[in-house]
Amino acid sequence: MGNYLIPLAAAEHNIVVATDGSVWANYLLRGINVNPYDTSTIAAGQKQNEMLFQALSELDTNDVLITGVKVRIHPDEIAARIVQGIKKITSEQYPKLLDHVSRFHQKRLHGQQEYRRVYVMSVKLPSGGIVPGKGALSKAGGIDPLKGLDWNDIRKREAEILGRIPASFSPSRTTPDHLSWLHDRMRLRGLEVPCMPQGPQRRSFNAKGFSAVMINKTADADIVVDKFIDAVDNGDVPKVRSTKLSQFRANYRSIRFGQALAVYSPEERSDTLPDGPAAFQTLMGVEEYPIKYTDTLNTFTYLVDQDLGVDADFALRLSFSQKELATSHAASFKKVLGQEQTANSQDEFDDEEYDDRHAELGALRSTVRKEAGARGMKVAAIFAFAAANPKVLRTAISAIRNKFEGNDFKVTFPVGGQFDLLEQMMPGSTRSRLSDDLQQLTTVRSFSACMPVRRTEIGDAVGIPIAINKENALGQIVHQDFLNATEDGNGSMAITGAQGGGKSYIIKVLLEWFSDLQCPTTIIDHSPHGEYEVFATQLAGAQVLRIKEPTRSLCPLKVFADDQTTAHQVYLETMCNLFGISHDDPMALYLSDITTPKSRGLRGISSSRDVMAYLEDKPGEVAGRLLGKMQYWAGQRYARALFDPVNNAGTVEVMPAFARSKEVRSVIFRTNGLQLHRGELTEDLSPEKRYAQVIYTLIARITAYDYARIRGLCVFAGDEMSFTKGSRVVEDLVRAPGVSGRKEGNIGLFGSQAASHFDDENYGLISRKLVLKQQTQHNIVEAFGWADIPPTPGLIRRMRSDTSPSLPDERGTIPGREGEGWYNDGKSIARIQTLPFTTESTARFADTRASKMIRAEELSEAQASGIRG
């Protein structure tokens, strides 16, 4: 057991009393979600940060600490997000789903983790909350810091602070458990990331109830010592009578002042780690900010969430002062600065430094004049970088320093001040002289432009996991709540990407989840080798219907047999379009008359073959012409889905009607070989194109009819939708699910290689847009524009060279980089990487690479060879 890094006397709920007598109120804040591709959200984020700092400037306090702390999201929480909102979630009701969630959970436990940046704000209460004349502030002076505290006044002031924090930051009070978590984060930074405590407070405060730590304040010297001793042992340094360490000290007199720390956890010691694991940490302060606004200034605290190769947190020590913004104060400071320059400048380099400070003062005065009612604000920015390996940390620090200084920041890694800065990042610590020196004068509005209290998240709070947010290195899992998507509007998704970019892969990932959720799904598979027929082997309750070689009939008189009125309406529409006749043509009127519900009942008509049999002995020109039309189409082999086939013996083989049931949840219509016509149905249209148009329309009608009778989510999926461009059938396949989605719970998944394939107005209602790898300049710009992402030169370069990059031999994507792109969920935009399947078997049957793809005609062989299907 050990002490909190800052000696504490008490902690009650979110109130902390340090042994120096200072009293602090601690809160958790949630960063403002900022879409880096939308300037309106950036402006909104800056405004919200300004509101926060403005509120803090109006409090009766002279010390505020805001720390951006990295937390790990427990895999149990991730699993709970997937199933949340599903009623009666039991193993009997959803066996495949719970198995799927379990596999996903295991991969989170033993693979890539999800993190989040949580902001802890600590506000110092005025005068320590001491009742005048009843207590002193220091235990060192022999007086209890708790004596004389006016707890009623403290609680009143704390409630006022909470009430001032803008609701957009979702403020909540901390508990003593959070102190333990913050202490663990400090000691383990660079080793592991602890989860934040959840739920109500679980224990009372114990000043000695924290994990023990030992801190080496000169950890960086250890490396030099080791090198020196090795040099002595190797004879590179002459041996002397004194000990090796004495010789080292003679050569390195600054050994007592370190520029890195080693935080040990002795409670976790082992034979190989006698002091416990060490977290090597280097603390950095910002001494000067760029004079001119830059994008780097906008994201400087956001740096800790990027892929630095090391772990990182940051802290801001804030105080507020109007005095230093006054013209008289600025004039006085400028005069003193001039006197210092005259007295202290030794060369032109010193003059340049003083000139920079004059320029900073001038820039600040210009800012103050432009801002109405400017609020003075002093900020000390502190960063902590950590790793388990000191060499890795040192290499990263060099790169970080170059990044900051290359963007006109002046940073410091104070020798001998590392432990001071570590303390300054902990709630309950009073601002030190070093923090005072680091504080830079600015204004609330100017500093708010940096948006230090921010986040970049995308997707829904719950739902199917579809991707990893790659805007930062936190690994946020992107969920989509498809079950309730249509409550807020259209829930459909459109996906574009070049061949091999992962387009069909993510569609199949989603289809597996929908299957496990027992959502009725209709899939159009017009690929030559039946890629979705192959994938259907992985879906429970899947049925494949090959349109050109059917085993089930799509004749409307059969399919809609339980709804005679619909059967009549759809059959008449289907046959008129197939025959190329208008609805007022005599043949159409005749057909309508003999297929009404009453007429069919009297004549025993239940299929197209029955209609033909009835017409065979009916006199008259109209009946003869109509029979001729039907005989032609019934004689076409590819039209058997509408006309039961005749075998070699001349007998009609009556096929059962296609019917969706509880057992048949995923229906795959294989339409390969059917070529759609782009445009209106004309008289000179080839028979096969006319038939294709009729069948796709019929599939859409059947699907819409089935889905209208099913409560809950229903899905329509179509890949390579370029085959529908310019065709009337788009309205039936795409627009219908979108328009009825809100009230019927229907959504669509649509994929195509080029964004231009989605420029049809029927795709206009779809707001969820995923842009995967594109290769040509034209397609890249087009795809970004379609997804409402500004196609900047930097983004275009990143798409071309750093999005699912190919292997050197151009045979496939670099492993681990598959499925990268950008996602617009209708509310925000982020760079993402789509999630893979949780089993190798499913991934194998979803693979469409030419060298790996299993074709429909190879299914039996593949399954016989041991690949599970």
Side-chain angles (χ1 to χ4, degrees):
M1 304 297 284
N3 297 312
Y4 184 69
L5 191 64
I6 308 299
L8 300 179
E12 180 180 300
H13 301 296
N14 68 319
I15 303 297
V16 170
V17 182
T19 55
D20 66 359
S22 60
V23 182
W24 301 80
N26 299 319
Y27 306 91
L28 297 174
L29 305 180
R30 189 165 183 245
I32 300 299
N33 197 19
V34 174
N35 173 0
Y37 305 95
D38 186 347
T39 56
S40 65
T41 69
I42 294 173
Q46 292 171 333
K47 184 63 178 178
Q48 292 296 325
N49 274 261
E50 182 181 352
M51 289 172 62
L52 173 65
F53 296 135
Q54 180 73 22
L56 295 176
S57 74
E58 296 168 358
L59 296 174
D60 186 11
T61 183
N62 65 351
D63 198 356
V64 177
L65 168 66
I66 296 179
T67 307
V69 187
K70 186 177 179 181
V71 301
R72 181 171 68 93
I73 307 304
H74 198 283
D76 289 355
E77 180 183 336
I78 300 170
R81 293 200 303 249
I82 299 174
V83 299
Q84 189 172 332
I86 303 174
K87 297 177 181 179
K88 298 179 181 178
I89 181 72
T90 64
S91 56
E92 292 77 17
Q93 188 78 6
Y94 293 99
K96 292 273 290 182
L97 174 64
L98 292 183
D99 180 59
H100 197 168
V101 173
S102 177
R103 296 195 308 268
F104 189 85
H105 179 261
Q106 288 299 314
K107 284 185 174 290
R108 295 303 107 188
L109 281 173
H110 306 294
Q112 185 178 19
Q113 300 292 323
E114 178 181 5
Y115 304 97
R116 187 177 297 152
R117 183 69 56 182
V118 172
Y119 298 90
V120 181
M121 185 173 74
S122 195
V123 181
K124 185 178 181 181
L125 300 184
S127 304
I130 298 291
V131 177
K134 290 193 177 182
L137 302 181
S138 176
K139 228 174 185 177
I143 300 176
D144 188 345
L146 300 178
K147 184 178 179 181
L149 285 180
D150 186 346
W151 283 97
N152 287 331
D153 181 65
I154 288 173
R155 294 187 185 101
K156 179 181 177 182
R157 292 178 182 273
E158 185 279 326
E160 179 187 358
I161 294 170
L162 182 60
R164 292 288 191 92
I165 303 172
S168 54
F169 290 90
S170 304
S172 62
R173 295 181 171 99
T174 64
T175 71
D177 282 341
H178 289 104
L179 292 177
S180 180
W181 160 64
L182 288 166
H183 182 79
D184 286 342
R185 172 59 180 159
M186 175 275 301
R187 72 182 179 87
L188 297 173
R189 190 182 291 122
L191 299 177
E192 63 179 88
V193 182
C195 297
M196 190 170 68
Q198 300 293 322
Q201 179 176 331
R202 295 183 294 277
R203 64 172 176 81
S204 59
F205 172 71
N206 178 359
K208 301 260 183 207
F210 298 88
S211 299
V213 295
M214 296 189 331
I215 298 179
N216 178 0
K217 300 179 182 179
T218 58
D220 49 343
D222 290 348
I223 301 173
V224 184
V225 171
D226 292 340
K227 286 185 176 180
F228 177 78
I229 292 174
D230 289 342
V232 171
D233 290 341
N234 296 332
D236 296 332
V237 175
K239 294 186 178 181
V240 293
R241 293 182 180 179
S242 60
T243 65
K244 296 174 183 177
L245 187 57
S246 297
Q247 178 66 25
F248 175 81
R249 285 174 175 163
N251 285 277
Y252 300 94
R253 300 185 183 278
S254 63
I255 183 63
R256 72 193 70 166
F257 303 113
Q259 204 172 18
L261 304 172
V263 182
Y264 294 90
S265 297
E267 294 175 359
E268 301 172 26
R269 62 180 40 157
S270 63
D271 292 341
T272 55
L273 299 170
D275 291 327
F280 293 91
Q281 304 190 31
T282 292
L283 287 296
M284 180 186 84
V286 178
E287 288 187 318
E288 293 178 16
Y289 295 90
I291 296 174
K292 295 182 179 180
Y293 177 85
T294 65
D295 287 341
T296 303
L297 177 62
N298 173 264
T299 60
F300 88 104
T301 53
Y302 198 52
L303 174 81
V304 294
D305 291 337
Q306 306 311 306
D307 189 7
L308 303 173
V310 291
D311 202 357
D313 288 327
F314 78 90
L316 303 173
R317 302 293 313 216
L318 313 175
S319 61
F320 302 90
S321 172
Q322 288 300 103
K323 175 184 174 183
E324 295 184 64
L325 291 186
T327 303
S328 58
H329 183 276
S332 175
F333 181 76
K334 187 172 184 178
K335 181 178 180 181
V336 171
L337 194 63
Q339 292 171 347
E340 284 185 8
Q341 181 173 3
T342 301
N344 299 329
S345 290
Q346 301 294 319
D347 50 38
E348 65 273 17
F349 299 108
D350 287 339
D351 284 332
E352 284 182 10
E353 185 169 339
Y354 277 104
D355 288 343
D356 288 343
R357 296 181 67 186
H358 278 290
E360 290 173 22
L361 181 61
L364 178 63
R365 291 304 309 155
S366 176
T367 298
V368 170
R369 286 194 298 271
K370 292 177 182 177
E371 291 184 18
R375 300 288 294 183
M377 180 178 182
K378 298 182 76 173
V379 182
I382 304 167
F383 292 81
F385 305 102
N389 185 315
K391 295 181 180 179
V392 170
L393 178 61
R394 191 168 63 250
T395 300
I397 290 298
S398 177
I400 291 166
R401 180 199 291 270
N402 291 338
K403 182 176 182 64
F404 269 84
E405 292 182 348
N407 287 278
D408 296 330
F409 286 89
K410 185 176 181 181
V411 296
T412 180
F413 300 86
V415 177
Q418 293 288 297
F419 183 71
D420 187 334
L421 290 185
L422 186 69
E423 288 184 314
Q424 288 294 283
M425 295 184 71
M426 301 298 290
S429 63
T430 300
R431 197 172 64 249
S432 69
R433 182 176 297 178
L434 179 55
S435 285
D436 284 341
D437 290 342
L438 288 175
Q439 281 197 327
Q440 302 295 305
L441 181 62
T442 181
T443 67
V444 163
R445 181 172 298 172
S446 295
F447 189 69
S448 298
C450 305
M451 294 182 293
V453 187
R454 67 186 287 186
R455 73 186 197 278
T456 296
E457 295 179 357
I458 193 169
D460 297 323
V462 299
I464 294 173
I466 65 171
I468 298 293
N469 182 352
K470 303 295 285 187
E471 282 301 324
N472 50 49
L474 296 179
Q476 180 227 342
I477 295 175
V478 181
H479 295 261
Q480 283 296 183
D481 185 12
F482 287 100
L483 288 177
N484 302 298
T486 53
E487 296 294 325
D488 290 331
N490 188 288
S492 298
M493 180 188 292
I495 307 161
T496 184
Q499 191 171 4
K503 175 173 40 62
S504 65
Y505 203 83
I506 188 173
I507 291 176
K508 293 169 187 173
V509 167
L510 291 172
L511 288 174
E512 183 184 25
W513 281 108
F514 291 139
S515 174
D516 295 345
L517 283 165
Q518 301 180 8
C519 299
T521 305
T522 298
I523 305 164
I524 298 293
D525 181 7
H526 66 92
S527 61
H529 301 294
E531 65 169 291
Y532 285 91
E533 178 177 348
V534 171
F535 182 67
T537 61
Q538 305 299 296
L539 304 178
Q543 182 182 93
V544 178
L545 183 63
R546 298 186 177 188
I547 297 301
K548 283 194 157 187
E549 300 175 2
T551 56
R552 300 267 173 177
S553 174
L554 292 183
C555 175
L557 296 180
K558 292 185 177 185
V559 173
F560 301 105
D562 60 347
D563 185 343
Q564 295 294 317
T565 301
T566 300
H568 177 241
Q569 176 187 348
V570 177
Y571 185 76
L572 187 63
E573 177 185 310
T574 301
M575 291 303 160
C576 285
N577 286 334
L578 186 65
F579 300 159
I581 60 177
S582 65
H583 284 75
D584 58 357
D585 186 287
M587 283 188 291
L589 297 175
Y590 192 102
L591 183 62
S592 176
D593 181 61
I594 65 175
T595 56
T596 62
K598 183 177 180 180
S599 295
R600 293 203 313 277
L602 292 173
R603 299 178 173 97
I605 295 175
S606 60
S607 70
S608 293
R609 285 290 180 181
D610 290 341
V611 173
M612 293 172 65
Y614 174 78
L615 291 173
E616 283 179 353
D617 59 356
K618 291 296 177 287
E621 178 190 0
V622 174
R625 289 172 55 207
L626 182 58
L627 178 60
K629 293 275 188 184
M630 299 192 78
Q631 288 175 333
Y632 170 80
W633 286 106
Q636 307 306 309
R637 182 177 176 84
Y638 58 77
R640 287 183 294 174
L642 295 179
F643 299 88
D644 290 337
V646 177
N647 59 28
N648 293 334
T651 304
V652 175
E653 296 182 354
V654 179
M655 289 190 297
F658 163 77
R660 193 185 298 270
S661 65
K662 287 186 177 180
E663 292 72 30
V664 179
R665 294 197 298 272
S666 299
V667 177
I668 297 89
F669 289 103
R670 273 208 68 185
T671 59
N672 58 301
L674 297 181
Q675 186 178 358
L676 266 178
H677 171 66
R678 297 183 178 182
E680 297 295 322
L681 292 173
T682 58
E683 291 186 3
D684 59 348
L685 191 64
S686 69
E688 288 204 37
K689 286 188 177 181
R690 181 177 294 280
Y691 181 74
Q693 190 93 5
V694 167
I695 283 295
Y696 278 117
T697 301
L698 181 57
I699 289 172
R701 290 295 300 271
I702 293 172
T703 301
Y705 180 82
D706 286 343
Y707 286 3
R709 298 189 299 173
I710 300 172
R711 291 182 63 87
L713 176 66
C714 298
V715 181
F716 185 93
D719 197 1
E720 301 298 353
M721 291 298 286
S722 60
F723 80 96
T724 65
K725 184 173 173 60
S727 169
R728 279 180 24 189
V729 81
V730 177
E731 184 167 351
D732 300 300
L733 294 177
V734 179
R735 186 176 176 82
V739 170
S740 64
R742 298 189 186 199
K743 59 186 179 209
E744 303 291 352
N746 299 338
I747 67 169
L749 297 177
F750 306 106
S752 203
Q753 292 189 31
S756 60
H757 300 152
F758 293 131
D759 61 9
D760 190 293
E761 63 177 4
N762 293 297
Y763 292 98
L765 291 176
I766 299 177
S767 58
R768 296 180 179 185
K769 301 173 181 178
L770 176 56
V771 176
L772 298 174
K773 179 181 180 180
Q774 293 286 359
Q775 295 173 325
T776 68
Q777 176 90 3
H778 174 77
N779 286 348
I780 292 171
V781 173
E782 184 179 73
F784 278 138
W786 165 76
D788 301 317
I789 302 171
T792 63
L795 269 185
I796 293 172
R797 285 194 298 272
R798 193 170 189 191
M799 171 67 88
R800 247 184 177 162
S801 61
D802 192 34
T803 298
S804 296
S806 300
L807 291 163
D809 60 3
E810 298 294 330
R811 294 183 179 180
T813 302
I814 293 175
R817 300 292 303 276
E818 299 90 351
E820 294 177 341
W822 283 261
Y823 183 42
N824 183 342
D825 69 350
K827 296 170 289 187
S828 191
I829 299 169
R831 181 175 167 88
I832 56 93
Q833 181 174 23
T834 58
L835 284 165
F837 291 101
T838 56
T839 66
E840 292 183 7
S841 171
T842 310
R844 180 70 183 89
F845 279 81
D847 200 332
T848 57
R849 289 175 294 175
S851 60
K852 301 288 185 180
M853 181 179 181
I854 300 173
R855 292 163 172 77
E857 57 270 22
E858 301 169 345
L859 262 177
S860 299
E861 180 183 345
Q863 291 167 336
S865 66
I867 300 177
R868 291 189 299 110

